Amino acid sequence: MLGFFLEAETLILPDSVQKARWKQIVERFTSLDAETFLRDFTGQVIWVALKIAVAFAIYAAGRWIINRLVHLMDASFDRRQVDKSLRSFLRSLVKGAAYTILLLIIVQLLGFNTTSLVALLAASGFGIGMALSGTLQNFAGGIMVMFMHPYRIGDYIEAQGQAGTVKEIRLFSTVVTTTDNKRIYIPNSSISNAIVNNYSSETMRRVEWKVSLAYGDDVAVAKRTMLAMLESDKRVLHTPDAPADPFVALSELADSAIVVVARTWTLNGDYWDLFFDMNERFYNELPQQGLHFPFPQLDVHLDK
């Protein structure tokens, strides 16, 4: 029947040729055996219906196999304690590839030319890739982040001029929440090539204080008092649990003050609490030992 309608091209031919063509079409139509036509048409419909039914069956079976495969992957990830961000990425990658293969199998079963389809998809992918080159760079950066692990979800990092806690590692961006609860999206293409300062990767951090005292104050008393204060705090670590014991020394002879530096090691989670608490203790307890916090001053001498 489709061939009859394709004869519409005769409309652009000369009148004599059109009449001959139409005469042939009418003769072919009138000479058609209705019984043969119905039998062939019914057979084709049944064959197509069977193909569609088999395609649905293959899709259902393939979907069950893919879900089972993903379930086995999740169980394997749990046993190996794979990072959550990498786990999500691999799951999406495997599911996408598996469904693509399943689609090609179904298309082949329905009688379509998969070679042409693959070529079309490849050409489309190339064009889309050229248009979305920046997005693909972010995708590649996301893969690097997930496999190299410069940071993980929950780490406090500083990168690209931003600092905060990593909330999500997506395929195209890293989501960071700042201390004042702002959400920042950093493109993976830039963060994968940037210097990343990860404050959470190690279990211990060194805390440092610089305290300015007046000239004329007893440095030995200052050192002894500050060291005793550090030693009395349970959050301060000592060797061999830490790289070094608490340390206090005269650091600088500044213009208006002497600067005493104090350093110690503590657990990462205790860093800020120890820092702020010790600041307050230095301010309250050092003056009790006859030590003074000087104000900036400038001596001016006038010649008459």
Side-chain angles (χ1 to χ4, degrees), residues 42-60 102-103 105-113:
T42 304
Q44 290 294 329
V45 170
I46 294 175
W47 178 242
V48 172
L50 286 175
K51 280 188 174 181
I52 295 176
V54 173
F56 274 110
I58 292 177
Y59 173 76
L102 179 61
L103 176 63
I105 293 174
I106 294 175
V107 169
Q108 179 71 32
L109 175 66
L110 294 176
F112 295 97
N113 189 347

Side-chain angles (χ1 to χ4, degrees), residues 20-59:
R21 287 289 183 89
W22 280 111
K23 184 177 180 181
Q24 293 176 0
I25 294 172
V26 172
E27 290 177 353
R28 290 167 57 184
F29 183 77
T30 55
S31 63
L32 183 64
D33 186 357
E35 183 179 353
T36 303
F37 171 77
L38 290 176
R39 183 172 59 251
D40 293 343
F41 179 76
T42 304
Q44 290 294 329
V45 170
I46 294 175
W47 178 242
V48 172
L50 286 175
K51 280 188 174 181
I52 295 176
V54 173
F56 274 110
I58 292 177
Y59 173 76

